Structure formats: structure tokens, C-alpha cells
Amino acid sequence: MNTFVKSLLFLWMVMTTGNMYGESRENSFDICVYGESAAGVMAAIQSARLGKSVVLISKNQHVGGLVTSGLTATDMNRNDMVGGLAREFYQKIYDYYLRPEVWKNQGREEFFIKSRKRTYTGKNDERKMQWVYESKVAERIMLDMLKEAGVTLWQHERLKRKRGVRKNDRQISRITLESGKTVNARIFIDASYEGDLLAAAGISYTVGREDNRTYQETLNGYRINYEMGTNLSKVSPYRKAADPKSGLLPYIDKKVQGAQGTQDKKVQAYCYRLTLTDDPANRIKIAQPEDYDPSLYEVLVRYINLNPALTLQKIITLTPMPNRKTDTNHLDFFGASYDYAEAGYKKRGDIEKQHKNYALGMLWLLEHDPRVPQHIRDEMKDWGLPKDEFEESGNFPNHMYVREARRMVGEFVMSEKNVVKENRTAAPYPIGVGTYALDCHYVSKVVDEEGKLRYEGTIFQATTPYPISYLSITPKRNECGNLLVPVCLSSSHVAYSTIRMEPVYMVLGQSAAVAAAMAIDGNMAVQDIPYDQLAPRLNALSQIIDINPKSK
């Protein structure tokens, strides 16, 4: 290489990276929010509104996570217990849909009638809220809120997971991204669904289900569903029905792995929450995906044929959204999610592709497979992907529904006793309220001791509003003093099954930001925040942290 070419190369490296070694100039902020989930968005907005310099780091070009990627039928059965920025966001959704021009192919009143109970509005609020919406609308609102607050947004950036976190004693001082960018911050907030930052920082965490004895629980661990949920006992698990010699169908365990309630590393099923439409002018028919494998759906087909009266709505859930769209649920891929939390980025991408093909393949099967009853195929043929959603990703959602990945083991672990309705032990130092049922989707399929096919892992148990502890978003004191974790928080598998709802993440993200600002202003560790000062500040921001607010 001649001297002139070397000089050009040197100049290019300096201009693009900031120095001759290919490392970027360091970037300093008060608060670094890692993860574009709704919790991350709210944490970033609140941080900026409190006068802090803040960067929000997104792994792709989007913000909002599942809130803006298909999960638009909000899982929150007590809308009156959602306050703060989350309430503001849903108020903005309501205001948007008051505009006649946004209703492209159906009227507002028609939608409200069709959507029935899945549309919620506040009764006594100065501004009402709407809890069902289109993904693109929600993302536009979040982007506007971020811009108005003055948040710095970095897109298409991911943490360098090996040696990408520098710590001085118990403090994270800097993180490095795959692009070479570095971030110095006084407080870091891990708002990712996976918990990559907390793991790279050496924080204690777990994946999977604890033994019931770990936290004196009753619903944790390995759980064959003998009574609860769909009964598969009459469905043959073999490739050739009733022929064990033909081998088991894919993703079926050949034997029970252990006693009820014992520990394992499995997580509940993931899926994509697809947006579908029955508007012919806006519809793209679903094509058979690449790598289509009909054996993945054989259990479903056999179950349908044993229950011929089933309708499409009993197989998948099509919840109406504005403008003749749906939030489509129950495209769960049982058994394919176990490795995701700890996997590298490439393997995660492969798992995401598997789930995408599984979802599209299941919908294609329900319309085209001749073994599916004609009335179901007729129902399915009306539906397709919307032309006006997720345009840059083939009209398919940009986030997989990671229902549960890593869970931090922090200063306080939320457990079954903190969230159940009966004989509850209230969690201390509340910063938010959960209200949704304990809800874990199936984890696996297994052939039991009698040779019958069973689902395994589900939990569904109603509860009443319960407080979520500030200490559950803080690491152990001796591990890190400047990290907060509002998504992969410190919780048992059982408690996480009810906490894991997007409005709750939003609430916890905002509360984390307030605590972060207090830690900076007081030059203290996040574990040392005086709760008697934190609680009034949350209340002043209309955050709901008291499960009985009217009693005071």
C-alpha cells in the first residue's frame, strides 16, 4: 500500500471513527437507556423531562417494542390503576382517533360497537384513554414524545456482549456497542426484553422456572396440565397416528422430565402478534412461507378434527383494532423459545425467523390445508397482512413477543406471595401496580406416564391489584450501584407471569427514570434512594403506586 493510499485510509478512519485506532469518540450522558421497549421509551422521556441528558438505544429502527409491533389489544384489566406517562400515552391514542380523517375504511362508532369490551376509556378523567390502536399510530406518538422531550435516539445499535461493559468497582462506567460507539453515563437503565446489559455487567439473574421450594410457591416449576387448559390426551403424538414406531412429532418431549413443581430452564412459548386485515383494498394474502413444515401443525390439525365445531376464533384470537385490523394472538410456537435469552445475536435471529415462518405457516394452513374443516378455511380466507403496517419488514411485525427471558435476582425478589389474591404479603416500597391475572402460556408438549399427550406449563389465575417494589428493579447492592432494570426485573417465574404486561413495563420505566435522576442529584447508589422522597415525586407525576388510592 503506497503512502498516498495510507494517508487517505488514515483520514477516513479519523473522520468516521474519531481516532486512528477505529474506536469511536466517547459519548457522555447523564442516563443511558438500553432497549427500545415501551419501558425504555418512558424511561427516556421522563429522564429528559427531569432535565437529564439521555440516550435511548434501539436495536432496530423502531421504538416501543411490542406496544408498537402488533400487541395492540392492551393487556390491562384495570385501566384506572395506570397513571403517569403510560396514561398520557393512552390519552394521546384516544385523541388521535377523535379525528374523522384517520378512519380510512370504517367509522369510529362502528369500531367501538365491534370492539366491545376491548376498548377502554376513562370515565372521570379530564382526558379519556383508548387501549386499542394501530401499531404505526402508537409508534408515531412515541417518536413525537421522545422528540418533544429532547431524547437522543440511537437506532440499529446493539451492545457488544463480550467485554462491552466496563465497571469501576460497583459502577458501570461505560458500555461499548457493536458499531464501536461508546457511552459513558452516570446511571444505566436496562429496558431490553432480554436483559443483555444486566448480564454483561455481571448482575445475578436466572432463566426458566424455579423449584416451588425456592420461594415457597405453589405454581412454579414443571407443571403438566392435567386439568387446566386445552386437553390433548386424545391426540396421537406420533408422526403416524397411533404408531409409536414412527417416532414423535416435532417439539414433543418423549417423557416427563421431573416431578411437578421442579426447577428447569424452559420458558413459556413466544410468538409474533400479527396484525391482520379483512379489507380487500389493504390486504396482502398470506403466502406459504419458506421452510414450511406441515408436521409442526399436525397436533393442531388432529385436535381440530377431534373438535369439528371449532371456529377460527377458538383457534387464534382476532381482536378488532381500528380500520378493520386485528391483534392476532395464540400463534405460539411451543418449545422453540428455550435458548433465546442466552443465545448470541445470530442464533436469536434464527429463532426469530423460525417463529415468523411458524406464524405464517399456521395461518396459511388454516386457509389452505384440506384437512382443516371448510368453515374454518372460509373464515381464514378473508384475512391477510395489511399493506399500511410494517412496510419496511414485509408487513410483518418487527419484534417477536419475548414473553419472558432473563430475570434479575436483585435486592428483592417479587414472588407468588406478593401477587396472589389470597393471603398476600404486600411488596415493600411500591413504585407501580400490577393487576393482570397470573398468566403463563404453555411451555412444552410431553407424553405422560400413560402415553397421553399433554400440554405443560400453563398458569392462569385471577388476582387483584398489587404493589411492585422499587427494590425489584435494583441489583444487589454488592453487584452494581448505578443500574436499574424495569423489564427483566427481580421476580420469580410465577410473579413475572402477571407483572410482564406492557403498561406495567411503562410504569416501571418511568419510575426507574425518577429514581435515576434522584441518584444523580444526590450522588448516591440506586439502592440508597430514600423512599420517603421517591414516593412523593412519583405521586406528583400522577404515577399510581398505592393499590387503595381513594382510601387516603
Side-chain angles (χ1 to χ4, degrees):
M1 184 182 296
N2 62 41
T3 303
F4 178 72
V5 173
K6 287 182 179 179
S7 298
L8 285 178
L9 179 60
F10 175 83
L11 179 63
W12 175 81
M13 290 177 69
V14 171
M15 291 176 63
T16 58
T17 68
N19 61 55
M20 64 179 291
Y21 300 106
E23 297 178 359
S24 67
R25 291 185 298 270
E26 292 186 350
N27 300 272
S28 295
F29 298 89
D30 293 322
I31 298 172
C32 172
V33 181
Y34 184 77
E36 69 286 351
S37 68
V41 171
M42 297 306 160
I45 292 168
Q46 186 60 72
S47 297
R49 288 186 181 181
L50 291 173
K52 306 305 179 188
S53 59
V54 56
V55 61
L56 173 62
I57 300 174
S58 172
K59 68 183 179 185
N60 55 27
Q61 70 184 66
H62 298 283
V63 297
L66 266 293
V67 170
T68 61
S69 190
L71 203 171
T72 54
T74 306
D75 292 319
M76 176 55 68
N77 61 330
R78 285 288 300 273
N79 55 313
D80 60 314
M81 301 303 290
V82 176
L85 284 174
R87 178 177 290 269
E88 180 182 332
F89 167 73
Y90 291 114
Q91 287 172 336
K92 289 179 180 291
I93 294 285
Y94 181 88
D95 291 345
Y96 173 87
Y97 284 107
L98 287 176
R99 297 156 51 190
E101 68 272 18
V102 306
W103 295 93
K104 303 297 184 183
N105 48 21
Q106 70 178 147
R108 183 173 181 271
E109 294 306 315
E110 175 194 347
F111 168 71
F112 269 65
I113 293 170
K114 187 175 182 180
S115 61
R116 299 186 304 278
K117 295 181 180 180
R118 294 310 296 258
T119 301
Y120 306 106
T121 56
K123 294 181 180 179
N124 301 313
D125 302 305
E126 184 177 339
R127 292 173 61 203
K128 296 181 182 292
M129 297 178 285
Q130 184 166 320
W131 300 73
V132 288
Y133 51 84
E134 296 161 278
S135 290
K136 62 179 183 179
V137 172
E139 184 166 19
R140 183 70 265 161
I141 289 171
M142 285 190 172
L143 285 168
D144 288 345
M145 292 175 72
L146 289 164
K147 183 177 180 180
E148 289 167 6
V151 172
T152 298
L153 174 62
W154 288 358
Q155 297 165 302
H156 296 291
E157 296 284 0
R158 298 187 303 197
L159 179 69
K160 182 181 178 182
R161 289 167 61 185
K162 291 186 178 180
R163 297 181 295 279
V165 176
R166 175 181 291 181
K167 291 176 73 177
N168 293 328
D169 192 19
R170 296 185 302 110
Q171 300 286 106
I172 300 173
S173 60
R174 186 179 77 183
I175 65 171
T176 302
L177 307 177
E178 286 190 316
S179 66
K181 281 185 178 180
T182 61
V183 181
N184 296 321
R186 297 184 66 182
I187 301 290
F188 291 83
I189 297 175
D190 186 344
S192 67
Y193 289 112
E194 299 86 4
D196 286 342
L197 178 53
L198 76 89
I203 309 303
S204 297
Y205 68 87
T206 189
V207 177
R209 298 175 286 189
E210 296 92 352
D211 191 290
N212 267 324
R213 295 170 293 185
T214 303
Y215 299 115
Q216 293 75 55
E217 296 177 301
T218 64
L219 300 173
N220 215 329
Y222 190 79
R223 296 173 56 80
I224 295 180
N225 301 111
Y226 293 107
E227 298 177 356
M228 181 179 292
T230 303
N231 183 359
L232 295 180
S233 61
K234 295 182 180 180
V235 176
S236 173
Y238 303 108
R239 290 185 177 273
K240 292 182 180 179
D243 181 6
K245 293 182 180 179
S246 64
L248 289 169
L249 289 164
Y251 294 96
I252 295 177
D253 296 336
K254 63 181 179 180
K255 63 179 180 179
V256 175
Q257 71 173 38
Q260 295 282 84
T262 52
Q263 179 268 347
D264 69 5
K265 292 295 184 182
K266 294 179 178 179
V267 297
Q268 60 182 304
Y270 295 175
C271 71
Y272 279 92
R273 294 289 282 259
L274 268 65
T275 300
L276 300 180
T277 182
D278 64 352
D279 177 11
N282 193 35
R283 182 181 62 201
I284 301 170
K285 293 297 292 180
I286 294 168
Q288 186 182 96
E290 57 180 297
D291 302 324
Y292 176 73
D293 180 359
S295 69
L296 295 175
Y297 315 101
E298 186 63 29
V299 169
L300 173 63
V301 170
R302 292 176 186 179
Y303 178 77
I304 291 173
N305 280 282
L306 287 170
N307 299 273
L310 282 175
T311 61
L312 181 65
Q313 187 72 12
K314 294 292 184 180
I315 300 168
I316 58 176
T317 304
L318 300 164
T319 303
M321 297 296 112
N323 287 312
R324 293 178 64 176
K325 296 174 186 174
T326 70
D327 173 338
T328 307
N329 197 8
H330 297 116
L331 297 168
D332 295 355
F333 194 172
F334 310 112
S337 57
Y338 306 153
D339 296 333
Y340 187 84
E342 302 272 42
Y345 292 132
K346 182 182 183 304
K347 186 171 182 180
R348 281 186 187 167
D350 293 341
I351 294 171
E352 289 164 1
K353 185 177 180 181
Q354 275 186 298
H355 281 75
K356 175 180 179 178
N357 287 343
Y358 182 88
L360 292 172
M362 182 171 167
L363 296 177
W364 187 89
L365 172 135
L366 290 172
E367 181 178 353
H368 296 282
D369 196 305
R371 298 172 300 164
V372 174
Q374 187 65 51
H375 70 276
I376 294 175
R377 284 184 279 153
D378 289 342
E379 287 183 82
M380 189 63 226
K381 71 181 181 182
D382 292 333
W383 298 99
L385 302 175
K387 296 177 183 177
D388 63 347
E389 294 278 5
F390 317 117
E391 294 179 52
E392 84 297 335
S393 56
N395 311 101
F396 193 89
N398 51 68
H399 271 77
M400 183 171 69
Y401 193 0
V402 178
R403 289 188 169 104
E404 180 178 6
R406 294 185 179 97
R407 299 190 310 281
M408 179 172 67
V409 181
E411 280 287 288
F412 177 85
V413 180
M414 295 286 296
S415 65
E416 184 177 321
K417 66 184 178 183
N418 304 129
V419 299
V420 292
K421 184 162 49 176
E422 305 295 337
N423 301 314
R424 176 186 297 157
T425 300
Y429 310 121
I431 57 168
V433 174
T435 68
Y436 203 75
L438 284 69
D439 181 14
C440 177
H441 286 233
Y442 297 120
V443 175
S444 63
K445 296 191 290 282
V446 61
V447 179
D448 70 10
E449 298 89 339
E450 298 179 355
K452 294 180 178 180
L453 183 60
R454 303 281 187 181
Y455 275 131
E456 181 275 320
T458 195
I459 303 170
F460 193 86
Q461 181 174 307
T463 189
T464 54
Y466 58 86
I468 301 171
S469 175
Y470 172 66
L471 299 180
S472 71
I473 70 168
T474 66
K476 293 176 181 177
R477 181 179 296 273
N478 64 350
E479 292 183 345
C480 189
N482 68 334
L483 175 68
L484 292 164
V485 185
V487 177
C488 296
L489 72 161
S490 181
S491 168
S492 75
H493 163 72
V494 177
Y496 199 79
S497 73
T498 166
I499 294 170
R500 64 174 184 86
M501 304 303 157
E502 295 292 331
V504 176
Y505 290 156
M506 295 162 77
V507 166
L508 297 180
Q510 181 183 10
S511 294
V514 176
M518 290 178 64
I520 291 171
D521 293 342
N523 194 28
M524 65 182 76
V526 295
Q527 294 86 357
D528 294 331
I529 298 293
Y531 183 73
D532 61 358
Q533 296 178 27
L534 174 60
R537 295 191 186 194
L538 296 178
N539 286 326
L541 294 167
S542 300
Q543 193 74 289
I544 296 174
I545 62 176
D546 189 339
I547 61 174
N548 298 302
K550 295 180 181 179
S551 65
K552 293 189 176 182

